[in-house]
């Protein structure tokens, strides 16, 4: 086996190198006094710098909008956690938002002694095993933390970022990485660098015990996730040596209970050094100017020798291993094969094989399993890490099918792969679709930053040339090479995981400690933050849309046409938009689901899928409650082929009774699975609370009605859809006249449109007393949502709502987050928002949410109710929230077909112009008194409907009755079947 794989690798490397030498080559250049590396023909124009202290700086300019994405990527994650302190890297990630000795504190000199004492108490706590003694020590930790909080300022970092216009402050930890991500307006580069330079200078681990509680909540959420449990169990067998399988990012319960701030500090000092980090910027900047500023900002960092995780190689797997996991969610089967190191020829091959098996249209699994409805759904994937990858097959069984039967079907596709039972043209089509994806990949600053961060984590960015050349390297792989590789790779060397429906008797949870709410000091501001916020910046003028100029309006026959020009590349996106939906015709969603399985008089369903994939185009029929769209996209050179095929399909699809029988079975099985999904249950509760017992969520065909669906009824809908009134939209390289002429040849229109049936109108509920709707679900946590309908849309409220949401519950710097999570440690996830409708005749609603441990539910509800009834005042938070909204309007650029979407959205709300013009004007005079009055009139001291999904074994009826009259809703009441 080794010799055969070695021969394949040599052949593949030779082909890849030939391409890399001719197209993507590393070059060195100097500009502005700094030397950098770049890759020729790189569409992202990325520069790779290494500063004197070893810090990698990666700059990718993109001046299409005045915003910048940032990543600070550290090549350390759960793999480098100490064996006796798993979860440590993840803890540290949370603590990097707590500030330094200059921000996050109102008086560092007074705060420091308390923090030193807390450090010592945690060390004592870790070394103590007697439960009673540990409890007393924790009481002291809680007391001292409260005293320290008199001098700390919670969430100053988040307020700073929001104050300069940032909107996506976050971070994540994984096996070999911890990445901090931000976005900010391009006029705030100096402010942003001042913040980041200080942030990583000397982080202080304050407000720790409430953050620790948030991590406990995160762990408990993971314990409620059956898919997560299955992955952990399978990874442990796939990687018996490597930490990919032996340590989880979140850590063990035992280690979570015994954190050491000293160990976390050691970890920071060891791995957060410049020669192990990369500062990545993508967006609107001059790279020659940016590198000077970045160098100056981080020049204080001192390099240190870094020894990263380097385990012994895994031994080959030589047998099939099985994992069985139980839980309340739907059944599924996963099959894992151990893959290869990043940027290896084998990983390139496995990524290609993934597309041969499943690409959404023409893969073996797509055609043989999904298209023929042999499973409920199935797919393949390849996840790449630094040292190894994971190739996985997954399926959900259909009605009456066992997990073993579903797994057999998956493995049969591997057998077909080994036999070479796929078209030679499929390889060419995969490359064509990859090229299409490549054209789109660098449009987004966020996508660029993520790609470059991944490159740094995997190989310090040294293989960017290979990554750019992957498509051409893939194009050189032959079918014979695929088959030879598959025969040697796919053997009885996998881990198979069965997720059964049933009680998990091994489930545990992290018990909550007693925590006294800390003082958040929301009204205080440190001198450092004040200096950053007050520093002047050059204003960015907003650029609003002029629909009459930015959109070309025309007609094709009796249909309106709206078009915007794509001046960047050869991609087109078009749609037929129908102002009708499932509210008009209940059968529409079922017709849409039926369509992919249908043949025409010329082509089979399989041939249709392959035809679209071969020309790198796609189409779909999307059905909503109020709108139906036929969407077509791809390369303009294939426009005529794609549109012609779509027109042919809708005019000529034929009934397929066998496919309909299978579809009905799949629908019924999906419905069973929906009833096992807590997220779907919460959605059902929300619709029930908003509209009552008959609502958009449950007003669907009954199971008996599904069984009686007739093929001719669905075919009639598909054949006649184009007879209903619709608007044609186009974004692409052609102008309106050329596009109209092209589509006129293809798109047959009636002399007059057929009127649609009246839409079902749902009546909003009126909350006149507190009530509770409860749905029982076997879980560790409790999910609580508040809902209140608050009245019909009013343009005059738009500006107040924007500022209120940003201030009250819209992010980590919001009042809700600060209070519920930071101060009281009641939840990992929480938010509150005043939801605006999408149509002028619909109502607003106030929604709040807390996901907490079941035994903290009452405290969590009381905490949110306090905020709903009394709006805390923080002048600094308000100023930051308002500035953030203004900044967003000034720096947002709606482009491409986003212009069309904005036009339709504004039209539904009654605007004949860009609604942001009015919003921008109306924001200026808003002050705290404005949103306080809004809160009092719309939100405070009003009845709410509480929606609770939890286990009736873990929450008490009498506790829920304190919130309001409790109604336990059955699954049939919620789902309508």
């Amino acid at each position: 086996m080794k010799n055969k794989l070695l021969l394949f690798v040599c052949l593949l490397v030779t082909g890849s190198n030939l391409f890399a030498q001719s197209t993507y080559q590393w070059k060195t250049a100097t500009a502005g006094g700094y030397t950098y590396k770049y890759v020729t023909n790189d569409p992202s124009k990325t520069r790779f710098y290494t500063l004197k202290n070893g810090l990698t700086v990666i700059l990718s300019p993109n001046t299409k909008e005045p915003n910048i994405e940032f990543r600070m990527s550290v090549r350390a994650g759960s793999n480098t956690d100490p064996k006796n302190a798993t979860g440590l890297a993840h803890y540290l990630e949370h603590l990097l938002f707590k500030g330094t000795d200059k921000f996050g504190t109102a008086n560092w000199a007074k705060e420091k002694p308390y923090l030193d004492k807390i450090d010592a108490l945690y060390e004592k706590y870790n070394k103590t095993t007697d439960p009673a003694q540990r409890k007393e020590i924790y009481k002291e930790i809680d007391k001292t933390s409260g005293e320290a909080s008199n001098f700390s300022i919670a969430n100053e970092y988040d307020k700073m970022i929001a104050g300069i216009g940032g909107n996506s402050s976050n971070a994540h930890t994984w096996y070999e990485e911890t990445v901090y991500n931000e976005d900010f307006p391009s006029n705030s580069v100096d402010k942003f660098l001042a913040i980041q330079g200080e942030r990583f200078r000397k982080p202080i681990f304050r407000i720790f015990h409430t953050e620790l509680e948030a991590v406990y909540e995160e762990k408990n959420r993971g314990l409620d996730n059956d898919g997560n449990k299955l992955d952990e169990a399978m990874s442990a067998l796939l990687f018996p040596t490597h930490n990919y399988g032996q340590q989880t990012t979140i850590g063990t319960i035992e280690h979570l209970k015994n954190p050491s701030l000293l160990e976390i500090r050691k970890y920071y000092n060891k791995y957060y050094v410049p020669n192990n980090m990369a500062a990545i910027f993508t967006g609107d900047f001059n790279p020659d100017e940016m590198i000077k500023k970045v160098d100056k900002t981080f020049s204080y960092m001192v390099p240190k020798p870094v020894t990263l995780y380097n385990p012994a190689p895994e031994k080959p797997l030589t047998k099939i291993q099985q994992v069985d996991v139980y839980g309340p969610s739907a059944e599924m089967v996963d099959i894992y094969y151990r893959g290869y190191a990043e940027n290896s020829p084998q990983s390139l091959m496995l990524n290609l094989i993934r597309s041969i098996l499943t690409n959404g249209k023409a893969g073996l699994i797509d055609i043989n399993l999904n298209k023929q409805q042999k499973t409920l759904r199935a797919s393949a994937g390849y996840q790449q890490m630094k040292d190894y990858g994971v190739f996985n097959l997954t399926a959900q069984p259909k009605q009456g099918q066992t997990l073993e039967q579903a797994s057999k079907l998956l493995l049969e596709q591997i057998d077909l792969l080994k036999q070479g039972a796929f078209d030679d043209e499929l390889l060419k089509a995969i490359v064509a679709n990859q090229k299409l994806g490549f054209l789109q990949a660098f449009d987004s600053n966020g996508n660029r930053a993520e790609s470059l961060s991944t490159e740094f984590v995997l190989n310090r960015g040294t293989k960017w040339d290979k990554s750019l050349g992957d498509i051409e390297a893939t194009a050189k792989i032959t079918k014979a090479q695929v088959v030879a590789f598959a025969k040697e790779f796919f053997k009885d060397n996998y881990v198979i995981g069965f997720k059964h429906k049933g009680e998990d008797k091994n489930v545990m949870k992290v018990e909550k400690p007693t925590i006294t709410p800390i003082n958040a000091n929301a009204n205080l501001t440190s001198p450092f933050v004040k200096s950053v916020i007050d520093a002047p910046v050059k204003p960015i003028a907003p650029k609003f849309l002029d629909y009459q100029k930015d959109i070309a309006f025309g007609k094709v026959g009796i249909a309106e046409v709206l078009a915007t020009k794509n001046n960047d590349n050869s991609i087109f996106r078009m749609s037929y938009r129908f102002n009708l939906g499932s509210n008009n015709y209940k059968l529409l969603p079922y017709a849409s689901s039926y369509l992919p399985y249908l043949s025409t008089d010329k082509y089979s369903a399989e041939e249709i899928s392959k035809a679209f994939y071969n020309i790198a185009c796609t189409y779909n029929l999307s059905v909503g409650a109020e709108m139906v769209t036929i969407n077509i996209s791809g390369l303009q050179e294939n426009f005529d082929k794609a549109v012609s095929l779509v027109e042919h399909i809708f005019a000529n699809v034929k009934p397929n009774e066998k496919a309909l029988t299978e579809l009905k079975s799949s629908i019924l099985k999906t419905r069973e699975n929906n009833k096992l999904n807590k997220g779907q249950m919460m959605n059902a509760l929300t619709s029930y609370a908003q509209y009552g017992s008959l609502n958009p969520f449950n007003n669907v065909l009954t199971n008996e009605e599904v069984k009686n669906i007739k093929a001719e009824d669905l075919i009639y809908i598909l054949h006649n859809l184009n007879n209903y009134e619709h608007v044609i939209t186009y974004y692409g390289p052609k102008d309106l006249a050329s596009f109209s002429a092209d589509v006129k040849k293809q798109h047959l229109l009636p002399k007059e449109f057929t009127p649609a049936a009246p839409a079902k109108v749902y009546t909003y509920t009126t909350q006149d007393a507190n009530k509770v709707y409860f749905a029982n679900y076997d879980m560790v946590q409790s999910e609580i949502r508040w809902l209140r309908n608050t009245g019909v849309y009013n343009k005059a409220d738009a500006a107040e709502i924007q500022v209120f949401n940003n201030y009250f519950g819209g992010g980590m710097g919001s009042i809700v987050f600060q209070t519920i999570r930071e101060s009281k440690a009641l939840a990992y996830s929480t938010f509150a928002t005043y939801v605006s409708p999408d149509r002028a005749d619909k109502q607003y609603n106030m929604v709040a949410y807390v996901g907490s441990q079941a035994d903290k539910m009452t405290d969590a509800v009381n905490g949110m109710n306090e905020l709903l009834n009394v709006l805390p005042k923080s002048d600094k938070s308000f100023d930051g929230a308002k500035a953030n909204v203004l900044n967003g309007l000034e720096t947002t650029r709606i482009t491409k077909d986003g212009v069309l979407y904005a036009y339709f959205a504004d039209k539904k709300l009654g605007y004949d112009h860009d609604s942001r013009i009015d919003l921008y004007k109306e924001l200026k005079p808003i002050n705290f008194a404005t949103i306080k009055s809004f809160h009092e009139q719309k939100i405070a001291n009003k009845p709410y409907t509480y929606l609770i999904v939890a286990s009736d074994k873990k929450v008490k009826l009498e506790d829920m009755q304190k919130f309001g009259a409790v109604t336990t809703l059955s699954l049939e009441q919620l789902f309508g079947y």
Side-chain angles (χ1 to χ4, degrees), residues 744-931:
K744 186 177 183 180
K745 299 173 189 174
Q746 309 273 12
H747 188 52
L748 297 178
L749 287 162
K751 292 182 179 179
E752 59 181 16
F753 288 125
T754 302
K760 168 65 180 176
V761 177
Y762 296 95
T763 303
Y764 287 92
T765 59
T766 300
Q767 284 84 11
D768 50 12
N770 286 340
K771 63 180 72 171
V772 178
Y773 289 147
F774 175 73
N776 182 40
Y777 189 84
D778 182 16
M779 57 194 289
V780 172
Q781 289 230 310
S782 60
E783 308 261 345
I784 311 108
R785 185 176 287 181
W786 288 248
L787 186 134
R788 175 178 173 77
N789 295 323
T790 60
V792 178
Y793 177 77
N794 181 2
K795 290 181 182 179
D797 290 338
E800 292 178 18
I801 291 169
Q802 287 273 341
V803 178
F804 171 78
N805 281 341
N806 199 301
Y807 174 78
F808 186 63
M812 289 196 290
S814 68
I815 294 297
V816 166
F817 191 88
Q818 285 184 47
T819 306
I820 300 295
R821 175 165 156 171
E822 294 293 301
S823 175
K824 298 184 178 182
L826 293 173
Y828 171 74
S829 178
T830 183
F831 67 84
T833 185
Y834 197 83
V835 181
S836 297
D838 64 353
R839 209 174 65 201
D841 60 346
K842 292 184 180 180
Q843 287 200 27
Y844 297 101
N845 52 76
M846 182 65 205
V847 175
Y849 167 82
V850 173
S852 74
Q853 291 183 43
D855 54 3
K856 293 197 296 187
M857 182 185 70
T858 300
D859 293 338
V861 170
N862 290 338
M864 182 64 80
N865 282 340
E866 289 174 9
L867 298 176
L868 290 172
N869 291 328
V870 180
L871 181 65
K873 182 179 182 182
S874 169
D875 292 333
K876 298 300 180 184
S877 295
F878 174 81
D879 291 343
K882 181 178 175 181
N884 187 264
V885 175
L886 285 167
N887 241 311
L889 289 170
E890 289 164 352
T891 60
T892 296
R893 300 292 181 262
I894 298 177
T895 60
K896 303 177 183 176
D897 41 356
V899 176
L900 299 172
Y901 300 139
Y903 169 79
F904 288 118
D906 276 339
K907 190 176 179 181
K908 287 172 70 175
L909 291 172
Y911 292 93
D912 60 2
H913 59 277
D914 188 342
S915 59
R916 297 175 302 156
I917 297 171
D918 299 358
L919 184 63
Y920 191 67
K921 292 176 183 175
E922 293 162 4
L923 277 168
K924 299 291 178 71
I926 289 178
N927 54 31
F928 181 78
T930 311
I931 66 165

Side-chain angles (χ1 to χ4, degrees), residues 43-78:
S44 69
K45 308 295 184 188
T46 299
R47 298 182 180 185
F48 294 79
Y49 298 83
T50 303
L51 300 182
K52 291 179 181 178
N53 60 4
L55 179 68
T56 297
V57 180
I58 304 175
L59 304 181
S60 181
N62 177 22
T63 58
K64 291 181 180 178
E65 58 181 38
N67 286 296
I68 298 172
E69 281 279 343
F70 168 78
R71 302 290 185 272
M72 181 63 89
S73 302
V74 186
R75 299 185 83 224
S78 56

Side-chain angles (χ1 to χ4, degrees), residues 204-504:
I204 299 301
F205 303 155
R206 57 172 59 88
I207 316 179
F208 180 66
H209 80 317
T210 55
E211 195 62 39
L212 184 62
E213 180 69 359
V215 174
Y216 289 172
E217 293 285 356
E218 193 173 358
K219 177 69 174 180
N220 284 332
R221 291 169 76 88
L223 295 174
D224 280 332
N225 187 318
D226 290 343
N228 183 65
K229 292 189 291 185
L230 183 64
D231 175 68
E232 286 187 7
M234 293 178 68
S235 295
L237 295 180
L238 195 68
F239 299 106
T241 299
H242 201 289
N243 281 347
Y244 292 153
Q246 299 308 302
Q247 295 188 179
T248 64
T249 298
I250 197 73
T252 67
I253 290 177
E254 187 60 32
H255 293 161
L256 288 175
K257 290 178 179 179
N258 295 284
S260 167
L261 284 162
L262 297 184
E263 287 298 321
I264 296 174
R265 173 64 63 186
K266 287 180 185 177
Y267 189 98
Y268 178 84
N269 291 337
K270 182 176 182 180
Y271 294 111
Y272 281 61
V273 293
N275 45 309
N276 197 43
M277 302 170 71
I280 302 167
F281 297 82
T282 65
D284 182 24
F285 55 79
N286 180 321
D288 293 338
E289 296 174 0
M290 180 66 88
I291 188 60
K292 293 177 182 177
K293 293 181 177 183
V294 174
D295 188 10
K296 182 179 179 181
T297 298
F298 296 106
S299 60
Y300 68 84
M301 288 186 166
V302 178
K304 295 178 185 176
V306 177
T307 302
L308 292 178
Y309 178 65
N310 186 27
E314 290 281 9
K315 294 178 181 178
L317 297 175
T318 57
K319 63 180 180 180
I320 300 169
Q321 300 177 83
Q322 181 175 320
V323 166
D324 293 275
V325 168
Y326 294 82
S329 64
E331 291 186 327
M332 63 180 290
V333 58
D334 272 351
I335 299 173
Y336 282 7
Y337 295 87
R338 187 196 300 150
Y340 296 90
E342 59 85 24
N343 255 300
S344 63
Q346 299 100 320
S347 284
L348 185 74
M349 175 62 84
L350 286 171
N351 199 48
L352 172 60
I353 287 174
R354 190 270 309 166
S355 293
I356 293 172
L357 289 170
T358 177
N359 53 57
K361 297 187 188 73
L364 291 173
I365 289 176
D366 300 317
I367 297 296
N368 299 332
L369 300 189
N370 293 331
K371 184 69 72 173
Q372 296 183 35
Q373 303 185 79
K374 289 187 176 180
T375 63
L376 189 61
R377 60 185 59 87
S379 64
Y382 187 59
Q383 183 182 60
Q384 186 65 64
M385 290 87 81
K386 183 165 69 72
D387 298 331
Y388 296 98
V390 177
F391 192 94
N392 75 289
L393 306 169
T394 185
Q396 280 193 295
K398 67 178 184 179
Q399 192 84 18
Q401 188 176 60
T402 66
L403 289 169
E404 289 78 9
Q405 289 170 333
S407 65
K408 182 182 178 183
L409 289 169
L410 287 173
L411 292 170
E412 285 175 358
Q413 307 316 301
I414 297 296
D415 289 338
L416 291 173
L417 177 74
K418 293 177 181 180
Q419 296 164 22
F422 57 91
D423 296 337
D424 290 2
E425 292 300 311
L426 180 58
L427 298 182
K428 295 178 183 178
I430 288 170
V431 171
N433 281 272
Q434 287 179 346
K435 288 179 178 178
L436 176 63
F438 191 74
L439 280 176
Q440 301 168 313
F442 297 112
D443 275 356
S444 159
N445 287 332
N447 287 346
R448 291 191 187 200
E450 284 299 310
S451 295
L452 292 166
S453 175
T454 298
E455 285 292 318
F456 175 74
V457 169
L458 294 181
N459 54 61
R460 303 189 66 86
T462 59
K463 299 177 184 177
W464 183 236
D465 57 331
K466 282 190 174 183
S467 294
L468 290 172
D470 274 352
I471 296 174
E472 281 71 16
T474 300
K476 296 179 184 298
I477 298 175
T478 67
K479 180 176 178 179
Q481 288 175 320
V482 171
V483 172
F485 179 92
K487 287 179 177 178
E488 294 303 318
F489 179 76
F490 294 105
K491 295 193 173 182
D492 290 344
N493 55 352
Y494 56 83
V495 178
I496 187 166
F498 294 125
K499 160 59 197 52
H500 306 274
K501 185 183 180 301
E503 182 183 356
D504 183 356

